[in-house]
Each structure stands twice: as C-alpha cells, then as structure tokens.
Amino acid sequence: MSNPDRAPRQLRVGIIGAGMAGILAAIRLRQQGRHEVIVYEKADRIGGTWRENTYPGLNCDVPAHAYTYSFAPNPEWSSFLAPGPEIQRYFEDQVAHHGIGSLIRLGQEVKSCVWRDGRWHIETSKGVKDAVDVVIVATGVLHHPNLPQIEGLESFAGAKFHTARWDHSVPLDGRRIGIIGNGSTGVQLVSALAGRASRVVHIQRSPQWIMPMPNDPYTDEQRAAFRQDPKLIDEIRYGEWYTERVRRFTEAIIDHDSAPMHEIEAIVLENLESNVRDPVLREKLRPGYRAACKRLIYSPDYYEVVQRPDVDVVVGAIERIEPAGVRMRDGALHEVDVLALATGFKAHLYMRPMLVQGRDDADLDRLWARHATAYLGISLPGFPNFFMINGPTGPVGNFSLIDIAERQWGYIEQLIGALEAGRCREISVSAATMKDYDERRIAAARKTIFATGCSSWYLDADGVPSSWPWSYDAFASETAAPRFHEFDLTA
Ligand code: NAP
C-alpha cells in the first residue's frame, strides 16, 4: 500500500554499466522522468560487450530483429544476424535518440558500493564519490577475459591477444593465424579469417556441436518494407518461427530427454555427418558430450570453412606455447605469426572485483564465495535497493538477452515503484525466499543439459549450471510482478 499523505519519493538511481542493460534502464527511467539518474561506465565509450568485442567476423547469433529493444525496432539491420559493429551503432543511436548521453559518466569504474545510513555510497576509480538511493547493476556477464594459463604464452614471438582485446594494428592478411578456443567467438573468427590468412590453425581442446543457421543479408526492398510496415518486424521477433524455436530450445535445456532435445541432437549430428566429407576430419570434429551441453554454436559455414586447404583443425591438449607457435602434447608444433586467444571469459565474477557491502556488513564476495546467485538474477538478501539486470541465475542460452533484460527491468521498475510510493524505504528479497529459490534452482539445474558432462562457463565451482533451470515461460511469469511478501520491506 502506498502512503497517500506522502509525496512520491524522488530517488537518485545509480546505474553501473552502459551496455545493453544499463542503457535500457537509463532510457526507461528517463522516459518516466521522475528520478535523478546517473550511469557510471568504466570504459571511454558505451556499448558493453559490443564495444569490447571487435574481432573479425563478430556477429550476434540471435536474429537481429529479436536482438533489439522492444520499444526501438530497427528496420535497417543489414542481415538476419547482425554484425557486431552494427549492433554497437544501434546502441549508440539509442543513447543519442533518447537523450541519455548526458547521464553517462565515462571512464568511471565503480570500485565500491557500500550501504550506509539508508543509501548506497559509490566510489569510482577516479575518486568520485556519490550517494544514491538505488543501484542498478548492469555490468554484464562476459567482460573479464579469461587468459589461459598455458606455459610459455609470454614467450610467443608474434602478436597475441585475447579476442575481446583485438589489436587492429596487427596485419592479418597473408599471415599464419592460430586461434585457441572454439566457442562462438573462435568459430566466428575462423570463418572470417579463412581466405584472408595464408593459414588458419584452429586449436580446440574439445570439439563443438554446430547448429546450422542461415544468415542472409536483407535487401534494400526488405528494409524499405520493414520501414513501411513494422508488423513485418514483429513477425520475425514475435512470430511462430522464432518464438517456437526459443520455446523448444528452452524445453530441451531443462529436460535433456525431451523430444526437442532429441531434435536438436539429430540436426547437429546430421550437420556433421553430411557436411564434413573427410571421415578423418569428421571424427576429429565429433564432440564426446551431448549437444547444447556447452552453449550451442550457430554457424552458417564453419564446416565448409574448415575443409579449405588453408585451414587446419587441431584437436587436443596444448603442451606449451613456444616463440614459433603452439606445441601440442602429441609433439606437433603449429607455427603461427599471430595468436588469437578465443578463450572466453570469467563469467562468475559478474560485477566483481567491485567491493559491495550491504546492510549489517553483508559482503558480496563472502555471499558469493561458493557460487554467484541472485533471486531471479535480480535481488539479494541484505542488499536493499540493489538490483541486477542479467545477474547470476538468469536464463542463458541461444536467445535474446535483451528480452531477459527487459523482463527483469519491468520487475525492477515495480520494486522501485514501491520505494517511490513510500511503501517502504528499503527493499530486498528475504533470506528465506533466497534460500528456497537457491535450493530449488540448484536441484533443477543439476538436471539440465548443461550438467550432462562437459566444461563450460555456465558451470559454477561445484559443477552446477548457474543459470535459470526452468522454462522461458516460467521466467516470464515469475518476473511479471513481484510477490512483495517474498521481500524484506523496511519502513
Ligand atoms: P567460450 O564459449 O567460453 O569458449 C572458450 C573456448 O576456449 C573453449 O573452446 C575452451 O575450451 C577454450 N579454452 C579455454 N581455456 C583454454 C586453455 N587453457 N587451453 C585451450 N583451450 C582453452 O568463450 P567464447 O567463445 O568467447 O564465448 C563466450 C560466450 O560469449 C558464448 O557462450 C556466448 O554466450 C557469447 N558469445 C555470443 C556470440 C553470439 O553470436 N551471440 C558470439 C560470441 C560469443 P573447452 O571447451 O575445452 O573448455
């Protein structure tokens, strides 16, 4: 219940991160126009993952029209799957269009966030201090590069870099390029560099299942039609083909003996069997774990590309890196001029190393010592008015994280609404709700396809997937409206 005698409380909201989720929160808050908003961004440019990843071939394997804000459809996408730089431009355009640029403080990494006297006290790397009523953590999941601990890496004589720190000053054409890692990044890179490099050596510890995915460019006529009739965009985003795919995919994840899972397995197996002609290469590329156990790779052309004479697939363990290249455990040395480390991210860190201290000295590092978690990926007990977008235990998979972020934002808006209306001054999920959620979630997560015996960034230190283990529809309904009795509301 709101207090009718009280004027709506104006809040100062601090958003951490100006990537997809932080921009979303800033736009929504600006549209409401009721609160003071400030966005702290560690980098010198907005864009999050799309700013940090600029490697050749980067695109988003979610259909472009589904990877857009629901309130800002974009008829101009150049192809079914959008290239990374176009997505970066889209977010920059959104910032300009919604006039939120002035709210963003670039180059200000938040170092600490401490709850004291009913507010969050923020300090940035530049020594800026601020006090806010609400913190929105929109720091993303995949932003701390995982640099592999491989002996001799420092001794490599050529250029080497992580894919999220691509060095564009290094020439690629006509050179021998080694790529370590075959997640979505490594696979996209191989497709982009084959034909440019004199040789591409794709080094993989464990082969991946590959889901074929069309990626046709949109014609000028199609773009004109999208401009004229937004329903055509809606048909892609909300239509049967995409929504049914997401539904079936999430059903497969949570029940690995379901018909949709067997369907996925049949498709990826067929892709391997019929599209890799050389039986030796085919066996090399055959994974020893189930499809979608690791995040499924979508590629229109990977199998075609690796059959080129100038591409080598090397499967096995790396012994060490030498000045000339990569020495495998079987003794073979693969000489390369450039080494790209497509070795993923330390996803479990989330917003850390930021220091976060909540009520009664609740400490985020301590709370997350075993595994990172948050109720619906949003709230934590003891951390009042502190809400995450795309925080731990939210849905992950081959679908649009923008949709997840928008659902979480809708929920957070309602929590903020309770503060604004004077229903309470502090709100965070109760310890009992969190405990019950975590126990049920972990039990269900152990039964998902992600837990069927492979390594991936989805797994926590105990080998439990740290993702949403129920259906997409369940997530949609759970995040539709907060059940306030599950929260600690402090007057
Ligand atoms: P990733 O999926 O975590 O893959 C990392 C790769 O590096 C794996 O092949 C891993 O091998 C290998 N690796 C790690 N340490 C190694 C070591 N010490 N020696 C040898 N190999 C090592 O990382 P990613 O490809 O950057 O993708 C991360 C996530 O980003 C994706 O899952 C996806 O969510 C997102 N992404 C999305 C898109 C998109 O199109 N939407 C594109 C790129 C990335 P093992 O498998 O054997 O561990």
Side-chain angles (χ1 to χ4, degrees), residues 20-41:
M20 172 276 283
I23 295 169
L24 163 71
I27 291 174
R28 287 313 208 187
L29 285 164
R30 166 52 67 95
Q31 282 170 339
Q32 292 172 348
R34 294 197 296 271
H35 303 296
E36 263 180 78
V37 182
I38 185 153
V39 185
Y40 290 105
E41 166 55 55

Side-chain angles (χ1 to χ4, degrees), residues 49-50 53 55 58-62 67 142 146-150 162-163 180-188 202-208 289 294-298 316-318 341-345 396-398 401 455-458:
T49 199
W50 303 105
N53 286 282
Y55 61 80
L58 168 69
N59 74 12
C60 179
D61 62 13
V62 174
Y67 195 81
L142 302 166
N146 172 42
L147 293 173
Q149 304 295 311
I150 304 176
H162 187 273
T163 48
I180 300 179
N182 58 334
S184 307
T185 303
V187 164
Q188 290 181 354
H202 195 192
I203 297 167
Q204 29 194 288
R205 196 159 56 177
S206 32
Q208 291 262 22
Y289 55 86
K294 295 172 193 272
R295 186 182 188 275
L296 203 50
I297 310 293
Y298 282 85
I318 297 171
L341 306 171
T343 42
F345 300 87
V396 290
N398 295 77
L401 267 192
S455 64
S456 81
W457 67 265
Y458 291 161

Side-chain angles (χ1 to χ4, degrees), residues 292-320:
C293 182
K294 295 172 193 272
R295 186 182 188 275
L296 203 50
I297 310 293
Y298 282 85
S299 173
D301 59 1
Y302 180 73
Y303 284 152
E304 215 38 60
V305 166
V306 292
Q307 293 175 87
R308 294 171 57 108
D310 51 2
V311 177
D312 289 332
V313 170
V314 177
V315 178
I318 297 171
E319 182 66 24
R320 62 179 173 273

